[in-house]
Amino acid sequence: MKSILTLLFAVILLNLTWAQTDIYRAEAERINDLVHTKLNVQFDFEKEEMPAEAWVTLKPHFYPTKSVTLDAKGMLIHEVSLLNNGKKSPLKYDYDSKQLLINLGKTYQKDESYELYIQYTARPNEVKQEGSAAISDAKGLYFIDPRDEDPEKPTQIWTQGETESSSAWFPTIDKPNQKTTEEIYITVPDKFVTLSNGTLIKQTKNADGTRTDYWKQDQKHAPYLFYMGIGDFAVVKDSWQGKPVDYYVEHEYEPFAKEIFGMTPDMLTFFSERFGYEYPWDKYSQMVARDYVSGAMENTTAVIHMETAQQKHGQLIDENAWEDVIAHELAHHWFGDLVTAESWSNLTMNESFANYSEYLWREHRYGKASADAHRASDLEGYIMGGNFDKDLVRFHYAAREDMFDGVSYNKGGYVLHMLRGYLGDDAFFAGLNKYLKEHEYDKAEAHQLRLALEEVSGRDLNWFFNQWYYSHGHPKLTVIVENSNDVAKLNIKQMQEPLFEFPLTVDIYENGIPARHTVWVKKQRVNTFDFKTSGTVNLVFPNADHDLIAEISQDLTTVQNVLLYNAAEDEYTSRKLALENLSGEQLMNEEALNTLIKALDDSYHGVRIQAINALDITSPKVKSKAITKLVQLAEDDPKTLVRAAALNKLSDLQDAAYLTTFEKATTSESFAVRAAGLEGLLDLNREKAISYAHNVDDEVIAQSPELLAEMIPLWKSKNDTSHFEALTEMAAFYAFVALQDPTLAAPAEEAFQWIMATDSPHATKKVMSLQEQIYNQMKTQQPMALPYVKQMTLKALEIKKKAYQENASSSLKSQVEIIEQTLKGYN
Ligand SMILES: [Zn+2]
């Protein structure tokens, strides 16, 4: 089972087109360099503003200069002075609400530093910038429920710097090739905790009931990595080698904080060893914030995660859905924070490593099959995303936010995996270490990785970087095999443009046993390879280690797929491919079916789930062979996700024989098993299922669209609005739900109308933000679906306005405004 949103995204992630541009996006010129940034900030919650002071130390980069341009977005500038031995002298400046052009009054030479004092008010709501799919807004500084109007939402403040939004809350040179040390004084109501970069040096209580926290980071980092997070959080303490490792969560999730984030110290050890470079920063904190505009962000020592990170015990038993993200953000503290991509064109120098670190962590912690499964789904994301024409290092893009895509992340991570395979573990990781040491606390571009790897390995890598970093696409291969007496002939045709050259592993199966060969495919349309054989050749299988990014079209017979499943060396990707091929033949081919049944016992749970899902259980033949095993998996598999998959498969039978199996499942600690049990029970004994459903967490019900559809009218009849959170996804996309499953259409629309007709600030906002998200995704990906989204939002406005006419509350009024704002954003 997947959430409705996931299903929907799977459907719409097709037919992408991307805006191209002729503008060359160079690294920003460095005229002046940041040296140090000191800030003193407080907050006007009523006006959503931040009165502040900044002391910015700079120096000319090389050439003498008598002016400096600072980025400062949407601010009120009250004073700009030069500081000399503590004395201020006013400077002349121009300000256009984006940049502050300051006349320094004299010419400064290289390495002659100067300190500016700027008094200003940050006004995030005045900042106008184009947002992106990855980071849906660009205000820099976010006030969440600042006037405490929403009873369901805590008051919080947090910041989001990447790409160039830190300059919405402090004046700086907002480019990734700048680095500065940092100190910040944050004054907040005493009831709140604060989080920022570096070390909390001091806390001072003030007479007016506020408190000033003083944070300091002596190691320099890029302006986009500055962070402030403020609110009423539970701070759960952990540690690694004497350094604080803290988890900031809402109080409700305090008991689960270590279950969610508790592997962080192990990750710190693992990445320190793997990169041969000990974690260099003062501490490592992670905060889960409300209404965060992206998934997570690697602010130096102060990572922010979206709410989805907060999971309960019953969800965590199934799988920590956030573990990959936790590894990703931590790995950025080497690749991104310590060594920073010099420009957004080179973003992959941050994101490919963070992405690949998810693979490395899984490989270390859960084994290669788990890592490979993750890699396979990333590859699918890259290929499905219509990314073929985009260079990995891309000097032409329309908006810098476009760089946050399946190329910079997924493909970039896979490219690193290819490099690792080509160079070998020792050379690859030694090369990464060299790259880190040479560019620590500095910036880098892809060539610098190439030079480090070349130096360590002694091999030229221009051929590799030219095709994988500075060009686009991947091999699309058609494979034909001809066997004669003692030769197996492998014909490989490259169907794509541009052509590639690459090493390719080939497994030759003789007498059922594979032997590994490596050949070099040249940059030409057709390559032919002859392999001497002695026995019966059963299968010639290229890209046997699946290390090459490629789409390969090769016709395999049933017997070959069975052999691939049983004899391939790797524990995931080959088996996955074999089972995909075999599942279509289960009704007519005994061996195909037998292999699917055998896969129900596979050592890797992901393959067991795939086999379960593939079974056509309503066929009597399949059922008679699979049922005993399936029931056993449903009741006893050590992995709860396998149990849930088996229960879901059993529920397809709608057979009262499994009533007790479903009933037993409804008492499981696992949310997935419980939801699957309830869904099975729903078909057999609706009343009982519903009576159970009244006593489970909403997170369980939200996993089963069918169950949710049953509960909506019941909750509505009692006007029980406490479950709105569980309804928002289904409600937000009711028009699309109808297309996917007509039986769910009416309850989905009912949920939507109910939320809109009710005074529900939180749910209304959530529905709107989901619709806005899907609208922005569709703008590039499926423009013809846009009117459907707009229609739903217009409907929301109509219903909410009516509710406001009946009850003119300020809360309903602001909900009408939220909907109107969403509609405005569509243009
Ligand atoms: Zn990242």
Side-chain angles (χ1 to χ4, degrees):
M1 258 180 307
K2 282 179 177 172
S3 75
I4 290 163
L5 192 62
T6 327
L7 279 172
L8 191 65
F9 276 119
V11 173
I12 63 156
L13 274 174
L14 299 166
N15 306 323
L16 309 204
T17 51
W18 289 83
Q20 294 295 319
T21 169
D22 292 335
I23 307 165
Y24 175 73
R25 308 285 182 177
E27 181 189 0
E29 185 180 0
R30 284 165 294 154
I31 301 167
N32 287 279
D33 283 342
L34 291 171
V35 176
H36 183 67
T37 305
K38 179 171 133 184
L39 303 170
N40 180 21
V41 308
Q42 42 202 303
F43 300 98
D44 185 332
F45 288 85
E46 204 55 44
K47 288 157 83 175
E48 301 184 35
E49 292 180 353
M50 186 185 86
E53 298 169 289
W55 292 259
V56 189
T57 308
L58 301 112
K59 61 182 173 62
H61 179 75
F62 187 85
Y63 301 106
T65 183
K66 58 177 180 184
S67 67
V68 61
T69 302
L70 297 181
D71 299 296
K73 298 186 177 111
M75 294 175 181
L76 289 174
I77 304 290
H78 308 300
E79 180 186 346
V80 178
S81 296
L82 186 76
L83 273 172
N84 215 336
N85 295 325
K87 279 184 74 179
K88 287 183 205 161
S89 37
L91 294 173
K92 285 185 184 155
Y93 64 90
D94 280 321
Y95 182 55
D96 66 357
S97 89
K98 284 181 185 145
Q99 288 189 315
L100 193 55
L101 173 61
I102 303 168
N103 184 333
L104 297 171
K106 66 161 251 198
T107 299
Y108 287 82
Q109 304 296 321
K110 180 178 190 295
D111 291 331
E112 189 185 354
S113 65
Y114 54 90
E115 188 181 10
L116 302 174
Y117 169 81
I118 300 163
Q119 201 201 342
Y120 65 98
T121 302
R123 301 175 303 163
N125 293 334
E126 300 300 312
V127 178
K128 303 275 178 279
Q129 270 195 73
E130 207 189 324
S132 72
I135 298 161
S136 66
D137 220 352
K139 299 203 295 189
L141 173 66
Y142 293 78
F143 287 83
I144 307 302
D145 195 25
R147 291 166 293 276
D148 200 10
E149 293 154 334
D150 183 347
E152 293 158 55
K153 198 173 280 188
T155 297
Q156 297 179 350
I157 294 172
W158 45 260
T159 62
Q160 169 59 35
E162 198 173 26
T163 50
E164 297 176 8
S165 296
S166 284
S167 48
W169 64 278
F170 62 93
T172 188
I173 301 176
D174 207 350
K175 296 291 172 191
N177 62 355
Q178 290 286 337
K179 297 231 163 171
T180 168
T181 48
E182 175 193 347
E183 52 189 321
I184 180 167
Y185 295 82
I186 307 172
T187 299
V188 292
D190 197 23
K191 63 184 176 183
F192 291 144
V193 297
T194 72
L195 172 63
S196 188
N197 314 96
T199 304
L200 178 58
I201 304 281
K202 202 169 124 186
Q203 297 189 293
T204 314
K205 291 204 179 194
N206 306 313
D208 61 356
T210 63
R211 192 188 71 248
T212 303
D213 289 356
Y214 171 44
W215 294 84
K216 188 165 184 277
Q217 182 173 293
D218 291 329
Q219 296 144 295
K220 54 184 183 172
H221 65 154
Y224 77 86
L225 295 166
F226 277 48
Y227 181 71
M228 290 189 297
I230 291 147
D232 177 18
F233 292 96
V235 184
V236 177
K237 305 253 172 211
D238 214 334
S239 79
W240 179 76
Q241 299 199 355
K243 292 183 180 184
V245 175
D246 294 339
Y247 316 127
Y248 290 64
V249 294
E250 287 178 34
H251 292 280
E252 187 191 351
Y253 288 89
E254 185 172 356
F256 314 119
K258 285 218 173 159
E259 223 179 317
I260 300 165
F261 294 111
M263 79 298 286
T264 306
D266 283 347
M267 284 183 180
L268 280 156
T269 302
F270 171 66
F271 288 129
S272 292
E273 285 172 4
R274 190 83 270 211
F275 303 145
Y277 192 115
E278 187 164 305
Y279 177 76
W281 309 95
D282 306 335
K283 67 153 193 306
Y284 193 71
S285 294
Q286 298 173 83
M287 174 180 272
V288 184
R290 284 290 183 107
D291 295 350
Y292 180 53
V293 287
S294 183
M297 178 65 207
E298 67 269 22
N299 312 298
T300 315
T301 76
V303 167
I304 182 172
H305 295 279
M306 75 188 298
E307 289 152 69
T308 318
Q310 290 184 150
Q311 304 157 79
K312 293 180 176 169
H313 178 65
Q315 295 165 289
L316 290 158
I317 287 176
D318 297 327
E319 179 177 50
N320 184 346
W322 213 247
E323 191 162 335
D324 293 322
V325 181
I326 293 167
H328 178 113
E329 304 309 328
L330 177 57
H332 267 312
H333 280 67
W334 287 266
F335 297 94
D337 296 3
L338 181 67
V339 180
T340 307
E342 66 170 31
S343 65
W344 305 117
S345 296
N346 275 281
L347 180 67
T348 200
M349 298 315 289
N350 296 356
E351 296 305 343
S352 63
F353 286 104
N355 174 280
Y356 191 50
S357 295
E358 300 167 28
Y359 182 97
L360 294 173
W361 171 250
R362 278 180 179 243
E363 185 184 36
H364 164 74
R365 176 71 180 260
Y366 303 106
K368 194 164 186 308
S370 165
D372 284 352
H374 188 52
R375 183 182 65 171
S377 90
D378 269 4
L379 178 65
E380 208 174 293
Y382 156 70
I383 287 176
M384 297 278 286
N387 290 309
F388 188 88
D389 293 329
K390 295 189 249 171
D391 295 354
L392 184 53
V393 176
R394 208 172 320 149
F395 292 103
H396 298 89
Y397 54 78
R400 52 182 182 261
E401 320 298 356
D402 296 348
M403 293 300 297
F404 294 76
D405 64 3
V407 181
S408 298
Y409 286 69
N410 306 22
K411 184 185 182 183
Y414 213 134
V415 165
L416 289 173
H417 186 76
M418 278 195 292
L419 269 172
R420 177 184 172 192
Y422 175 66
L423 297 171
D425 273 17
D426 289 350
F428 176 73
F429 287 107
L432 297 198
N433 180 258
K434 186 174 170 61
Y435 168 84
L436 286 172
K437 282 191 175 142
E438 281 179 352
H439 307 288
E440 58 186 6
Y441 305 108
D442 209 339
K443 44 138 198 140
E445 59 180 299
H447 281 302
Q448 282 154 330
L449 176 67
R450 174 177 61 80
L451 293 169
L453 293 169
E454 286 185 349
E455 185 58 36
V456 166
S457 69
R459 292 182 182 175
D460 172 69
L461 290 171
N462 276 310
W463 65 273
F464 186 96
F465 276 72
N466 286 344
Q467 64 187 8
W468 289 111
Y469 279 84
Y470 297 100
S471 183
H472 62 269
H474 56 267
K476 296 183 178 179
L477 310 177
T478 300
V479 171
I480 295 169
V481 177
E482 297 161 48
N483 291 321
S484 59
N485 289 338
D486 48 5
V487 172
K489 194 182 275 294
L490 172 63
N491 285 293
I492 293 179
K493 188 171 180 189
Q494 299 200 42
M495 310 302 288
Q496 83 292 339
E497 206 61 64
L499 296 171
F500 279 71
E501 61 176 316
F502 47 89
L504 183 70
T505 53
V506 181
D507 274 0
I508 311 282
Y509 288 73
E510 285 188 72
N511 304 319
I513 297 161
R516 180 71 46 96
H517 302 260
T518 303
V519 297
W520 191 273
V521 176
K522 290 185 191 145
K523 211 170 191 156
Q524 57 195 36
R525 187 65 62 200
V526 178
N527 282 261
T528 306
F529 303 97
D530 288 347
F531 299 94
K532 277 207 176 337
T533 57
S534 48
T536 311
V537 175
N538 320 97
L539 171 63
V540 176
F541 188 62
N543 201 17
D545 58 5
H546 305 280
D547 278 359
L548 178 75
I549 301 177
E551 291 175 84
I552 299 179
S553 139
Q554 179 181 18
D555 287 330
L556 299 178
T557 64
T558 306
V559 175
Q560 286 175 326
N561 279 311
V562 170
L563 180 61
L564 190 62
Y565 177 80
N566 286 308
E569 196 185 285
D570 73 294
E571 289 174 7
Y572 182 73
T573 320
S574 295
R575 293 183 192 177
K576 171 178 180 274
L577 175 71
L579 293 181
E580 272 165 14
N581 292 338
L582 291 170
S583 67
E585 297 176 56
Q586 59 184 299
L587 297 185
M588 47 262 196
N589 188 300
E590 201 77 7
E591 267 312 290
L593 179 56
N594 288 343
T595 306
L596 280 176
I597 306 278
K598 187 179 171 191
L600 296 174
D601 279 315
D602 196 279
S603 56
Y604 178 56
H605 75 273
V607 174
R608 297 203 292 283
I609 290 171
Q610 189 192 349
I612 292 166
N613 291 341
L615 285 174
D616 192 350
I617 197 69
T618 49
S619 142
K621 188 171 149 199
V622 176
K623 185 186 167 190
S624 74
K625 280 206 170 191
I627 196 70
T628 311
K629 184 73 208 169
L630 210 50
V631 172
Q632 191 198 324
L633 291 174
E635 289 177 350
D636 298 326
D637 195 276
K639 284 280 180 188
T640 52
L641 289 177
V642 176
R643 292 182 56 199
L647 286 160
N648 280 323
K649 186 54 71 170
L650 287 177
S651 76
D652 288 353
L653 294 169
Q654 306 204 359
D655 185 338
Y658 310 111
L659 191 69
T660 50
T661 305
F662 293 133
E663 267 194 88
K664 216 176 115 207
T666 62
T667 63
S668 169
E669 265 195 307
S670 145
F671 280 12
V673 170
R674 213 176 245 214
L678 282 168
E679 204 170 274
L681 193 58
L682 192 63
D683 294 326
L684 301 173
N685 188 337
R686 189 171 164 272
E687 274 64 44
K688 206 166 199 173
I690 289 168
S691 78
Y692 281 144
H694 279 298
N695 299 314
V696 301
D697 296 67
D698 281 357
E699 287 88 347
V700 175
I701 298 174
Q703 290 200 24
S704 163
E706 287 81 5
L707 194 60
L708 200 52
E710 291 285 344
M711 299 308 287
I712 289 166
L714 297 176
W715 288 333
K716 196 178 165 210
S717 69
K718 288 191 269 174
N719 204 23
D720 179 0
T721 59
S722 67
H723 307 280
F724 271 6
E725 180 77 38
L727 300 184
T728 46
E729 275 189 16
M730 195 185 233
F733 305 120
Y734 73 89
F736 297 109
V737 172
L739 296 175
Q740 297 217 344
D741 185 344
T743 63
L744 302 178
E749 187 165 357
E750 190 177 3
F752 175 81
Q753 297 201 347
W754 183 23
I755 288 172
M756 291 310 149
T758 309
D759 184 356
S760 57
H762 187 59
T764 302
K765 201 166 178 185
K766 185 125 188 218
V767 168
M768 283 306 115
S769 96
L770 285 168
Q771 292 190 346
E772 196 177 353
Q773 232 171 295
I774 205 82
Y775 190 93
N776 285 330
Q777 290 255 344
M778 283 178 170
K779 239 195 289 196
T780 45
Q781 297 168 6
Q782 224 172 39
M784 64 276 194
L786 292 178
Y788 293 96
V789 186
K790 195 167 181 180
Q791 200 51 46
M792 289 193 290
T793 314
L794 282 167
K795 187 90 194 157
L797 184 63
E798 183 194 320
I799 303 170
K800 193 65 84 180
K801 270 187 171 163
K802 202 168 155 239
Y804 176 62
Q805 277 161 15
E806 283 160 17
N807 165 23
S809 74
S810 68
S811 168
L812 276 167
K813 185 171 177 233
S814 74
Q815 289 160 54
V816 168
E817 285 164 5
I818 286 167
I819 301 171
E820 282 170 342
Q821 260 175 28
T822 308
L823 277 164
K824 258 189 220 159
Y826 288 171
N827 299 314

